[in-house]
Amino acid sequence: MKKIFLLITVLSLFSACNDADFDINRDPDNLSPNGVSLKTELPAGLVGVAGAQGSYYALIGGFWSQYWTQSNSANQYKEIDDYSIGTDDYTGGWTAMYDALGDIRNVKKLANQQENWNYYLIATTMEVYSSQIMADFYDQIPYTEANNVNILTPHFQGGQEVYDLMVADLKDALGKDLSTSNGDAPGTDDFVFGGNMDNWTAFANTLLLKLYLRQTEARPTVAQDGITDLLTSGATFLNTDAAITQFEDAPNRSNPLYESDRRQLNVATNLRASRTLHSFFTENSDPRKDFYYEAGNPLNQGDFNNNVGSSTISVVHLEATTPVYFMSREESLFLQAEALERYAGGVGAKEKYEAGVAANFARYKELVGGVPTPLNATPFLTSGGAYEYPSSGNFNDKLKSIITQKWVSGFPGNGFEMFFEHNRTGFPAESAVPQSSTSYVAGEFAYSVNGTTAGLFPKRVVFPSNVTSVNPNAPTLVKVEIPVWWDVN
């Protein structure tokens, strides 16, 4: 069902773009790999990535970053919430992402042949972006041989090797002279930036920054050298959202998470407020809570067998028109803040942190005198405010503030990225007591009440059966509680 939704959404958004090069009666996946127009296949890849990320992996990420928990009056997502997700669960996520990567990689191949460096940079950035998600969830993935019609059983490569290849690919694309690009220039077919190549360059640089930061614990020298080079080279970083924004409140045209969880299931109450994030908001009197959650009380993480009346438990607030963010402005700002603290003596880090918090507050509007007004972060950031930057603290104090606010800002669709960051940095901290305890600290990650991994938090997703059953090169299954290569905490 979700696979059908993704295709319909691709076709719907194409139709809305009114692109003369696109025939909505043809599935982009069935077009000739060598005869398809770049303007036709690029949006298919972009929307395909948004669909895979924004439904399958957004759901998992939201549970494992503890934005939400399974309702105690339903059982749709119990296997995610209790960490028992297996080989037959969410096989569609892998398929959908690699299907989208097929379009993206074909754009890259054709753009390289045509020396169309604009499309080459776009395709390479999206290839790396999508592969990073898969590598961080599964550790080993097909990369070099993936999406090759002549290789039906691609070899898997280890996460560290994939990271080196992704870095090399981004540097290659960033090294092209866009002023010499041949052929068509991207325009309305570029659903993310509308053909603004300065933004694509900034996105690629910021993605490179993220890849280096992800390696701070596993390969500190690689991380330091790479980030120092970026900071000293004058690289531009993203100062706007890299996002798909064209969703409508209509069947098959809405945000993938809303479409798959709310509209297709015809159940609006599966996802309930996790005490983890809900309590953090309550503790800090944070007005964003009212935009993340409906009225009611939170549920302890994974406590889906609780018999308390479900009508009293807060439902997660989702909207049909919420964009799918490949990278938000605030994520870029928080990445820059951490990099400056680590490798530039902290100069400018406070300003980037405060801009990131302010940007996330400003996404939400409250009525002031009858006028919709963005939430104001200033009282929280000034001296004595709940989110004041700990300028006089040590590095861990500063990193905690940066990662905590990054975690908050990833709601609702980018929880997977915050799950990765939690595994890398240890923030938010993991509670030593259950959330039912009076000594529970608001905002700390809590082991699922019905967890199946003997007290160990999930660290990865297992390979799906539609991969292991057909590809003899698929690695041996690894349990969800085993860390991926860069997670050495």
Side-chain angles (χ1 to χ4, degrees):
M1 179 171 63
K2 291 179 181 177
K3 173 65 175 175
I4 295 172
F5 151 66
L6 293 177
L7 175 57
I8 292 174
T9 299
V10 170
L11 298 178
S12 298
L13 290 178
F14 270 134
S15 179
C17 277
N18 197 25
D19 186 340
D21 290 334
F22 187 73
D23 177 359
I24 64 171
N25 294 310
R26 295 189 295 167
D27 177 352
D29 293 337
N30 292 329
L31 298 175
S32 166
N34 296 312
V36 64
S37 161
L38 296 177
K39 284 184 172 294
T40 295
E41 194 155 21
L42 174 64
L46 293 174
V47 176
V49 173
Q53 164 194 326
S55 56
Y56 305 101
Y57 296 114
L59 275 168
I60 296 172
F63 279 101
W64 289 358
S65 60
Q66 303 199 3
Y67 295 158
W68 50 67
T69 190
Q70 169 64 55
S71 170
N72 62 342
S73 61
N75 52 26
Q76 180 72 22
Y77 306 120
K78 284 184 177 180
E79 72 280 1
I80 306 177
D81 211 5
D82 67 8
Y83 318 141
S84 65
I85 185 169
T87 58
D88 292 327
D89 300 312
Y90 299 90
T91 58
W94 180 284
T95 301
M97 187 65 89
Y98 273 98
D99 186 48
L101 273 166
D103 290 310
I104 293 294
R105 286 179 164 133
N106 199 47
V107 171
K108 180 181 177 180
K109 181 188 74 172
L110 297 177
N112 187 46
Q113 292 171 356
Q114 299 168 20
E115 297 187 352
N116 190 320
W117 303 133
N118 290 324
Y119 278 94
Y120 187 78
L121 175 61
I122 294 172
T124 302
T125 302
M126 290 306 302
E127 174 190 34
V128 170
Y129 172 80
S130 308
S131 298
Q132 174 250 310
I133 294 173
M134 301 302 278
D136 288 349
F137 262 130
Y138 297 95
D139 200 26
Q140 301 177 70
I141 61 168
Y143 188 79
T144 303
E145 295 182 352
N147 302 111
N148 186 326
V149 295
N150 298 313
I151 303 176
L152 300 180
T153 56
H155 284 84
F156 283 62
Q157 292 160 289
Q160 181 171 311
E161 181 183 2
V162 171
Y163 260 64
D164 288 341
L165 292 168
M166 292 191 295
V167 167
D169 283 347
L170 278 177
K171 287 184 173 181
D172 170 61
L174 285 164
K176 304 297 185 185
D177 184 353
L178 300 186
S179 69
T180 67
S181 182
N182 293 323
D184 292 335
T188 56
D189 56 308
D190 171 10
F191 288 177
V192 182
F193 295 126
N196 186 321
M197 296 310 299
D198 289 340
N199 283 341
W200 277 108
T201 297
F203 184 18
N205 283 330
T206 314
L207 182 55
L208 191 57
L209 177 64
K210 180 167 73 170
L211 293 178
Y212 284 131
L213 281 171
R214 193 63 37 91
Q215 301 178 70
T216 53
E217 307 307 309
R219 295 201 293 180
T221 300
V222 169
Q224 180 171 353
D225 290 349
I227 294 172
T228 300
D229 182 62
L230 277 172
L231 295 177
T232 58
S233 69
T236 58
F237 298 111
L238 199 62
N239 196 37
T240 189
D241 297 325
I244 300 287
T245 62
Q246 294 87 347
F247 300 110
E248 302 172 8
D249 188 3
N252 302 313
R253 288 178 176 265
S254 57
N255 172 282
L257 179 58
Y258 182 92
E259 185 72 22
S260 58
D261 179 67
R262 298 290 162 90
R263 202 187 307 275
Q264 288 191 6
L265 292 178
N266 294 316
V267 178
T269 59
N270 268 312
L271 301 180
R272 301 298 181 118
S274 168
R275 186 172 301 279
T276 308
L277 182 54
H278 192 282
S279 67
F280 176 83
F281 281 148
T282 301
E283 179 74 13
N284 293 293
S285 301
D286 193 319
R288 289 176 291 182
K289 181 175 74 173
D290 293 337
F291 296 87
Y292 285 36
Y293 305 116
E294 306 293 350
N297 299 314
L299 192 65
N300 292 341
Q301 188 69 41
D303 196 15
F304 47 72
N305 289 329
N306 192 314
N307 60 8
V308 66
S310 61
S311 63
T312 67
I313 302 174
S314 171
V315 175
V316 171
H317 181 77
L318 298 178
E319 294 186 0
T321 57
T322 297
V324 167
Y325 297 98
F326 297 139
M327 183 178 288
S328 67
R329 177 172 179 260
E330 48 263 51
E331 183 183 352
S332 172
L333 289 164
F334 291 132
L335 288 168
Q336 293 173 66
E338 181 182 347
L340 293 170
E341 279 295 353
R342 285 184 181 273
Y343 307 118
V347 177
K350 176 177 181 289
E351 290 73 18
K352 297 294 184 184
Y353 164 82
E354 290 180 343
V357 176
N360 191 249
F361 266 72
R363 292 194 185 278
Y364 308 101
K365 296 178 175 62
E366 60 183 347
L367 290 178
V368 178
V371 179
T373 305
L375 295 182
N376 181 16
T378 301
F380 293 84
L381 296 171
T382 53
S383 179
Y387 306 142
E388 178 188 3
Y389 195 65
S391 298
S392 61
N394 60 32
F395 173 75
N396 272 347
D397 295 330
K398 297 169 184 176
L399 182 63
K400 178 181 179 181
S401 291
I402 293 167
I403 299 300
T404 298
Q405 289 302 318
K406 184 191 289 188
W407 165 60
V408 174
S409 74
F411 180 94
N414 291 78
F416 56 86
E417 193 63 35
M418 309 315 146
F419 164 69
F420 302 147
E421 288 291 72
H422 166 75
N423 288 340
R424 175 177 71 95
T425 67
F427 297 119
E430 295 174 0
S431 178
V433 299
Q435 290 178 321
S436 57
S437 171
T438 56
S439 59
Y440 169 72
V441 176
E444 289 192 347
F445 275 33
Y447 185 74
S448 173
V449 171
N450 287 288
T452 59
T453 52
L456 298 175
F457 286 83
K459 298 289 188 176
R460 63 168 71 215
V461 176
V462 298
F463 296 115
S465 58
N466 59 345
V467 172
T468 58
S469 63
V470 299
N471 188 349
N473 294 316
T476 302
L477 290 179
V478 179
K479 294 180 179 180
V480 297
E481 61 266 33
I482 303 301
V484 300
W485 75 276
W486 46 256
D487 180 4
V488 298
N489 286 318

